[in-house]
Amino acid sequence: MMPVATAIPQFDLTRQYQHYREVFLPITQAVLAGGAYIGGETVARFEQAFAEYVGVPYCISCNSGTDALYLALRALNIGSGDEVITAAFSFIATAEAISLTGATPVFVDVRPDTFNLDLEQVAHRLGKNTKAIMPVHLFGRPVEMTALNQLAQAHGVAVVEDCAQATGSRWQNRPVGQWGTLGCFSFYPTKNLGAMGDGGAITTHDPHLAQRLREIKNHGQRERYHSVTVGVNSRLDALQAALLTAKLAYLEQWLTQRRVLAERYRQLLADLPGLTLPQDCPGHSWNQFTVIIQSHHINRDDLRAKLQQAGIGTAIYYPVPLPLQPVYEFLQYDKQHIPHAVALSQRVLSLPLFPELTEAEQEQVAAAVRRVWRG
Ligand SMILES: *Cc1c(COP(=O)(O)O)cnc(C)c1O
C-alpha cells in the first residue's frame, strides 16, 4: 500500500499564521519599514515584556535556546575542570552547551513517571567539581524546583534551568525560569512561544549576571569596541522580537488549548493495556504529549509506522539517551546506570499536539491508535 500524505501532522505552524495574519503582517511591515533590524527599542520592549511574564527583573535575549544555555554557563564562569549535572534524557543542546564551555556534563537518569531528573541521583553525583545543576523541564512538565533548589543551595552550586520546552510552565504557581540562578528559553518555532525563526532568552534576578550576559552575547564588549572577555555574537533580531511581543499576548490562551488537548487525549486513550499516558500535574504546559508503549504485542516503531500509514505524524523525542550519543562515547557511560532513559528512548512516542489541533483530529488519532491495539 502507498503511504498516504500526512493528514494530521505532529505539528503545523501554517494554521497559526493563517489565523493571525492580520496581526503578524502589519508588525512585520512596520519593522521592515522602520529600518532598525538589530537591537533597538523593539528588542528592549520584548525583553521587558518577557521578564515581566516570567516574573524576574532581567531578561537578556539571544539567538537561540542553545545559546541561552551556553551563555548562562559562561556567565557563571563555568569551564574546563568543572562539572554540570543534567538529565540523560533530553535534546542534545542541553549537553552540548555544557561541553562547549569546556566543562564536563554529568548525566543522571530520569524518572519514568515525569521524564525529568531523578533528584536522588542528582544528590549522589554532587561532588567537589560540580558547579551547577541543569534541570530540563521536558515536554513542558515542571521539575520539582523547591527540592532541587534546596539541594543546590546545600552544596553551593548554581541552577541553570533548561526551559526550552516549558515557556509558561509553572512550579507551585510560579513560572519556570524564575526558580533557578538563570532560566534559559528557546523561541524555536515549535516551542510554546515560537518565533518565525530562531530566538532565545535568559532570565535572572541577579543584576551582575545580567550585565555579564549582555557583555558575553555582544563580543565581550563592556563599551563599544572595548572587550573584556571572549564573547560571541548572539542576538535576537528586531523582527523576531516584534513578532514574539505580539505572540506573548496570546500565550496563556494557547497554553489553555494545549491543556484541553492533553486532557482530551487522556480520556480518548485511557484503558489501552500497555499504553502509559503522561500524567497531568499543576503548571504543566504540554509542549508535547508523549506516551510510553510497554506492550508485549505492540512495538513503538510499528505503531509509528502504522500511524504514518493512516496519515498521522508522530515524533520520537528522543531515540538515543545523551550519554549514549556517539559524541559522548568517550565518557564511557554504562547503560545500566541510566535504565529509565534507555527504556524511554525505545518506548516513547509524541502524538500530534499544537494549539490549533481540532477535536475531530484528536478523535482520528485516538481511533487509529485503537485500531493498532485491536490488531
Ligand atoms: C529546543 C531545545 C533546546 C535548544 O533550543 P534552540 O532554540 O533550538 O537552540 C534546548 N534544550 C531543549 C530541551 C530543547 O527542547
Side-chain angles (χ1 to χ4, degrees), residues 194-308:
M196 275 77 163
D198 271 314
I202 305 139
T203 53
T204 185
H205 296 277
D206 185 327
H208 302 291
L209 287 175
Q211 159 76 16
R212 188 146 158 79
L213 284 163
R214 292 207 178 281
E215 288 168 5
I216 300 169
K217 68 165 265 190
N218 185 24
H219 302 292
Q221 297 179 107
R222 189 155 291 169
E223 306 159 45
R224 186 173 271 201
Y225 307 128
H226 293 272
S227 289
V228 294
T229 188
V230 177
V232 295
N233 164 12
S234 187
R235 301 189 273 243
L236 180 72
D237 64 69
L239 186 56
Q240 302 308 333
L243 290 164
L244 285 167
T245 306
K247 290 180 87 172
L248 189 55
Y250 301 101
L251 180 59
E252 285 301 311
Q253 178 184 326
W254 292 333
L255 294 175
T256 302
Q257 285 165 312
R258 287 179 179 277
R259 273 192 289 277
V260 168
L261 292 165
E263 184 52 40
R264 190 179 295 130
Y265 265 143
R266 275 211 311 277
Q267 287 167 13
L268 290 169
L269 293 169
D271 73 32
L272 287 176
L275 183 73
T276 304
L277 303 177
Q279 293 171 16
D280 196 8
C281 78
H284 200 315
S285 66
W286 296 103
N287 184 247
Q288 296 295 336
F289 190 88
T290 303
V291 301
I292 307 171
I293 296 106
Q294 22 207 3
S295 157
H296 296 298
H297 313 288
I298 294 150
N299 148 302
R300 186 265 315 268
D301 296 324
D302 285 348
L303 172 63
R304 183 166 196 234
K306 285 182 177 146
L307 291 175
Q308 186 63 43

Side-chain angles (χ1 to χ4, degrees), residues 318-342:
Y318 294 94
V320 183
L322 295 177
L324 304 184
Q325 291 279 350
V327 65
Y328 288 121
E329 239 164 50
F330 74 99
L331 293 174
Q332 298 191 314
Y333 272 78
D334 185 336
K335 278 181 200 224
Q336 288 169 5
H337 293 137
I338 49 162
H340 297 306
V342 170

